[in-house]
Amino acid sequence: MDMLQTNVQTEITTAAQADIAVSVSNVSKNYGDVEALRDLSLEFPRGQLTSLLGPSGCGKTTLLKIIAGLLDPTSGDVLVDGKAVTGPGPDRAFVFQDFALLPWASVMRNVAFGLELRGVAKSEREAIAEKYIANVGLSGFEKSYPHELSGGMRQRVGLARALSVDADVLLMDEPFSAVDEQTRRKFQEDLLSLVANENKTFIFVTHSIEEAVYVSDQIAILLPRPSRVSDIIRPTGLREKDMLTIRRDPEYLDIVDEIWASLRSYVE
Amino acid sequence: MLNRSLLLKFLSAFIVFGAWEIAGHIPVSYAFPTFIESMKALAEMTFDGRLYAAYVETLKPLAIGIAISAVVGITVGLWTGLNNWFDWLFSPIFIVMQAAPLAALIPLLVMVYGIGLTSKVFVVCIMAMPVIVLNTAGAVRNTPSSLIEMGKSFQASRLEVVTKIIIPAASPVIFSGLRLGISAGFIGAILSELKITPTGVGDIITFSRSIADYASMYAAIFSIIVLAVLFLNLLEKIENYLFEGNVRGYASD
Amino acid sequence: MKLFGVRLPAMSSLLIWGLLWELIGRAEFSFFVPPLSQVFSTLFEIFGTKAFQSALYETAYAFISGVFFAIVIGIPTGIFMGKNRLLDELLLPWVNIFLSAPLTALVPVLMVLFGFGMKSIIITTTLFAIWIIILNARAGVLQINRSLVEMATSFGASPWDAFTKVYVWAALPEILGGVRIGVIRAVKGVIIGQLLISIAGFGALFELYSANFLMSHFWAVLIVLFGLAFTISEFLAYLERRVSYYAAKR
Ligand SMILES: Nc1ncnc2c1ncn2[C@@H]1O[C@H](COP(=O)(O)OP(=O)(O)OP(=O)(O)O)[C@@H](O)[C@H]1O
Ligand SMILES: [Mg+2]
């Protein structure tokens, strides 16, 4: 009881302190007759990881692409650092679900591709890319091609590419869905350290309740189409715990159960 | 195990050429020389330089025609693939050309351009161009959309998306379109030599037939088929080498 | 393509090209390009003529026989190649060779062996069509799911039953794809045959009209021929789509 009390306390203080990196207000999106998002508002605190969780087809990718500036909302606004989004910008980087690697380019060129498009000189961008290739644990594979890598390694190339442009906001669309369970767990741990060490804002789409609770500072639960935010859950207490024991923590299990209870009525 | 397939290829060639030899001995027709006779004629032609001279003549319209078709075809194809208006405007023409027997145009081409090189180059072009255009346009349209979005998310300009993403992604299919175009170009080149004016290999074929030197006629035909097949196979090998992994490399396998 | 929010039908731009043709013809830009309207009026005149009807008949006869032989020989050959490894390894190199060989070069051989008549034209047509039909039938059989065949055998299907009730159907989308490409090639083959072997059918009409400088006649026949070729190819593509609905779900 005592414990819960302090959690609530910290939750309130962090929410008040955190400034907002990305804010989505009253966004609607129609694809022809299909209403994907309706009047959706959500704020993403700086330096934290927010998960978008919801049933398939509820518009998570759509929302992420709107924030990325790849899609225009039918109505509503997206602000990044207080400025309205009109298109893709250097302040945001996207990690794609299917990796989106150039099959004809080496790991080095793929990782440096974002910088290449920004006109960074070759030697400079390769030095930066080298650093992030090492960071994601792919040293020695610089000259390999995507088809020579495993799924997990390809995803790390995609991650390194997004990190190397040093954007403030990282948009990740189900980044771990195409890798095996072991790699996925490893990535989740890596992601936690990344959030802790880099002062970046992460927006993370996932299908998995466990994954969301494990990695998030804030979980936005989206309802099926036309989608709005039904609930925001902040598993704040978990963030101070050791990442190796979180999965055994009663609070973790409670939150997972709670989310499932609120989502199960929408499945089927 | 590698030897089995090689062995069977030899066996298969042996059976076919053996059957040719036997059929020539029976003979199935007065106009059917044996395999060995034909090969002798081929050797003779090769050593007295006739074959070489003929190929220089034959390959000229082919090379010019293919070069023109490649440049024009890929340009138009890229345009068509990138722009909906051009697609709407040009695609139907090439779709019809692809399905239509364009050889029917030859009498008209001869009337307009005479019986010289121009007509022959034209024949090669109309045969080779449609498949090059359609393959290029299709490849451009089929660029994985996530690659294009990736480029956009890093604020690539339209030009950069085209040169750094779309064209490299499309190049395997463009290349195979080129190969198919060359294959069709060969048909056109021979057709024009047989139909318009006998020159080069077409001349050897027509002339040998007129003096009933069937061995030489078969030898010339044999040589052009071998040449075309070897060249196209070589292109296919190059294609596999250059674009290895390009197809498999797209994620989520 | 959309114009003011209205979808333009796929081939509608041909109308623009037709209009352009008409204008160029009207401008008397070149003797070789009469106005399209004149070509069409010639077209209706020609339809009734004996020459056109016999050309159409001769061409259709050669085309249909050629395609018939290509299908009747090609599909079983392809299926057997898919089923029998030895046969496959012996035949496949030749199929690939003839697939990419310039078959026009073989026409003179056909002429000296089979004469300057219908027979050679039919064989040319078959030669143009058959290789891709074989190759696709083979590919269709090779991709058949093994468990489908085992399922049939486990229910006690005889080899003949397995063949007619499983193989043929499971490979049908690929086979039809091959037939479609084969038929398009056959159209080209029949015209090439008519131009090279004996001046017969449409080939004869083209020669006749161009020798007499009857340009509208020439274009009229060309339009009919292209129209027929395109219709055949679209019809087969339609059939293929009808069948391929299950191809994706295997
Ligand atoms: N380009 C499009 N055209 C038409 N409808 C679309 C398009 N893209 C998405 N939709 C529709 O919008 C809805 C939301 O799609 P979105 O891809 O955002 O869902 P999602 O939540 O990412 O689903 P998943 O979890 O399966 O990836 C879907 O129901 C889909 O049918
Ligand atoms: Mg999605």
Side-chain angles (χ1 to χ4, degrees), chain B residues 27 35 37-38 62 80 90 109 115 142 150 154 172 192 205:
Chain B
F35 176 64
E37 278 167 14
S38 305
L62 184 63
T80 320
F90 286 110
L109 287 175
I115 54 171
N142 287 335
M150 185 273 290
F154 289 116
S192 65
I205 297 173

Side-chain angles (χ1 to χ4, degrees), chain A residues 65 88 90 98-99 116 118, chain B residues 146 149-150 152 155 164 168 251:
Chain A
K65 287 190 177 163
D98 62 356
F99 321 143
E116 180 182 338
R118 294 197 180 163
Chain B
S146 74
E149 283 188 338
M150 185 273 290
K152 283 189 189 157
Q155 303 139 285
K164 294 191 171 178

Side-chain angles (χ1 to χ4, degrees), chain A residues 31-32 34-37 54-63 71 97 173-174 205-207 222 225:
Chain A
Y31 292 107
V34 179
E35 205 176 0
L37 304 176
S56 186
C58 74
K60 305 181 291 292
T61 302
T62 305
L63 177 57
L71 284 177
Q97 176 173 5
D173 189 5
E174 299 187 39
V205 169
T206 180
H207 269 143
L222 304 186
R225 257 187 12 228

Side-chain angles (χ1 to χ4, degrees), chain B residues 29-250:
Chain B
S29 154
Y30 69 96
F32 200 83
T34 66
F35 176 64
I36 292 172
E37 278 167 14
S38 305
M39 289 305 109
K40 267 192 197 143
L42 182 61
E44 211 172 281
M45 260 186 247
T46 317
F47 290 124
D48 68 11
R50 251 164 66 204
L51 202 62
Y52 175 77
Y55 273 110
V56 170
E57 196 65 16
T58 300
L59 294 182
K60 207 190 311 169
L62 184 63
I64 301 175
I66 292 293
I68 296 175
S69 307
V71 173
V72 177
I74 291 177
T75 314
V76 173
L78 286 176
W79 232 3
T80 320
L82 289 171
N83 182 305
N84 284 338
W85 270 106
F86 281 110
D87 186 28
W88 176 77
L89 201 57
F90 286 110
S91 284
I93 293 191
F94 291 101
I95 292 173
V96 172
M97 276 176 83
Q98 172 83 328
L102 293 171
L105 281 170
I106 292 180
L108 182 73
L109 287 175
V110 172
M111 269 173 64
V112 183
Y113 297 105
I115 54 171
L117 186 63
T118 322
S119 287
K120 293 181 180 173
V121 169
F122 245 101
V123 174
V124 173
C125 285
I126 55 176
M127 297 291 217
M129 194 104 66
V131 66
I132 297 179
V133 172
L134 292 178
N135 260 41
T136 306
V140 167
R141 249 176 264 124
N142 287 335
T143 310
S145 59
S146 74
L147 285 186
I148 296 175
E149 283 188 338
M150 185 273 290
K152 283 189 189 157
S153 81
F154 289 116
Q155 303 139 285
S157 64
R158 178 71 180 152
L159 185 69
E160 280 173 318
V161 170
V162 172
T163 56
K164 294 191 171 178
I165 295 174
I166 293 179
I167 291 180
S171 39
V173 181
I174 295 178
F175 196 96
S176 67
L178 216 51
R179 181 165 50 80
L180 294 174
I182 292 175
S183 174
F186 264 104
I187 293 187
I190 310 287
L191 179 62
S192 65
E193 289 198 327
L194 292 174
K195 180 72 202 169
I196 300 177
T197 36
T199 49
V201 183
D203 183 34
I204 300 185
I205 297 173
T206 318
F207 178 72
S208 321
R209 196 181 81 205
S210 69
I211 60 165
D213 177 5
Y214 293 114
S216 299
M217 175 186 150
Y218 279 64
I221 291 171
F222 185 82
S223 75
I224 183 76
I225 289 181
V226 168
L227 181 87
V229 170
L230 284 184
F231 183 64
L232 292 168
N233 271 352
L234 178 72
L235 282 181
E236 203 171 345
K237 289 257 153 57
I238 296 177
E239 193 177 321
N240 289 341
Y241 172 77
L242 281 181
F243 303 115
E244 191 215 348
N246 226 8
V247 188
R248 281 177 291 152
Y250 294 124

Side-chain angles (χ1 to χ4, degrees), chain A:
Chain A
M1 199 60 224
D2 208 32
M3 175 115 163
L4 215 80
Q5 206 63 48
T6 47
N7 279 346
V8 171
Q9 205 61 43
T10 45
E11 181 183 315
I12 292 166
T13 46
T14 44
Q17 279 163 4
D19 65 327
I20 301 304
V22 178
S23 110
V24 174
S25 42
N26 309 103
V27 163
S28 304
K29 175 71 185 177
N30 301 342
Y31 292 107
D33 294 338
V34 179
E35 205 176 0
L37 304 176
R38 183 195 285 168
D39 208 18
L40 187 146
S41 299
L42 188 57
E43 292 187 326
F44 301 87
R46 188 180 309 284
Q48 297 195 359
L49 189 150
T50 302
S51 291
L52 303 175
L53 184 66
S56 186
C58 74
K60 305 181 291 292
T61 302
T62 305
L63 177 57
L64 209 62
K65 287 190 177 163
I66 289 174
I67 298 173
L70 291 170
L71 284 177
D72 290 328
T74 311
S75 66
D77 299 298
V78 177
L79 302 179
V80 175
D81 272 332
K83 288 188 293 285
V85 166
T86 51
D91 46 2
R92 284 151 288 146
F94 210 104
V95 180
F96 290 84
Q97 176 173 5
D98 62 356
F99 321 143
L101 303 183
L102 307 176
W104 57 88
S106 63
V107 167
M108 175 55 89
R109 176 147 187 242
N110 264 301
V111 173
F113 193 67
L115 297 164
E116 180 182 338
L117 292 174
R118 294 197 180 163
V120 178
K122 189 170 162 87
S123 58
E124 193 183 335
R125 66 177 188 245
E126 295 204 334
I128 299 173
E130 186 63 61
K131 184 181 132 209
Y132 285 100
I133 290 174
N135 263 3
V136 298
L138 284 178
S139 301
F141 289 95
E142 291 84 354
K143 293 201 171 58
S144 305
Y145 285 83
H147 71 271
E148 298 164 336
L149 304 179
S150 71
M153 292 158 91
R154 286 183 205 165
Q155 186 52 281
R156 281 186 254 174
V157 176
L159 195 59
R161 178 177 59 197
L163 290 173
S164 67
V165 293
D166 197 30
D168 297 330
V169 180
L170 278 170
L171 305 161
M172 310 171 96
D173 189 5
E174 299 187 39
F176 306 154
S177 64
V179 301
D180 62 84
E181 184 59 26
Q182 286 93 315
T183 316
R184 192 181 172 109
R185 287 197 173 205
K186 176 75 174 59
F187 278 179
Q188 291 168 357
E189 291 176 9
D190 292 350
L191 186 59
L192 280 178
S193 357
L194 214 57
V195 179
N197 298 332
E198 310 240 354
N199 187 30
K200 292 190 193 304
T201 307
F202 292 77
I203 304 180
F204 183 88
V205 169
T206 180
H207 269 143
S208 157
I209 299 175
E210 282 83 0
E211 180 167 274
V213 180
Y214 186 72
V215 299
S216 311
D217 296 296
Q218 165 177 300
I219 301 170
I221 296 180
L222 304 186
L223 290 185
R225 257 187 12 228
S227 185
R228 275 174 304 130
V229 179
S230 86
D231 207 355
I232 295 180
I233 292 171
R234 294 199 173 81
T236 331
L238 295 177
R239 293 287 74 84
E240 278 114 56
K241 290 178 179 148
D242 180 3
M243 64 168 92
L244 296 178
T245 58
I246 295 180
R247 285 198 175 82
R248 274 182 277 144
D249 193 279
E251 190 186 350
Y252 168 85
L253 296 170
D254 284 348
I255 298 176
V256 169
D257 269 354
E258 183 192 332
I259 297 178
W260 171 231
S262 70
L263 276 179
R264 71 183 309 164
S265 58
Y266 295 107
V267 181
E268 276 164 27

Side-chain angles (χ1 to χ4, degrees), chain C residues 111-122:
Chain C
M111 283 153 73
V112 294
L113 290 183
F114 302 103
F116 293 71
M118 189 58 106
K119 213 197 297 178
S120 292
I121 298 180
I122 293 175

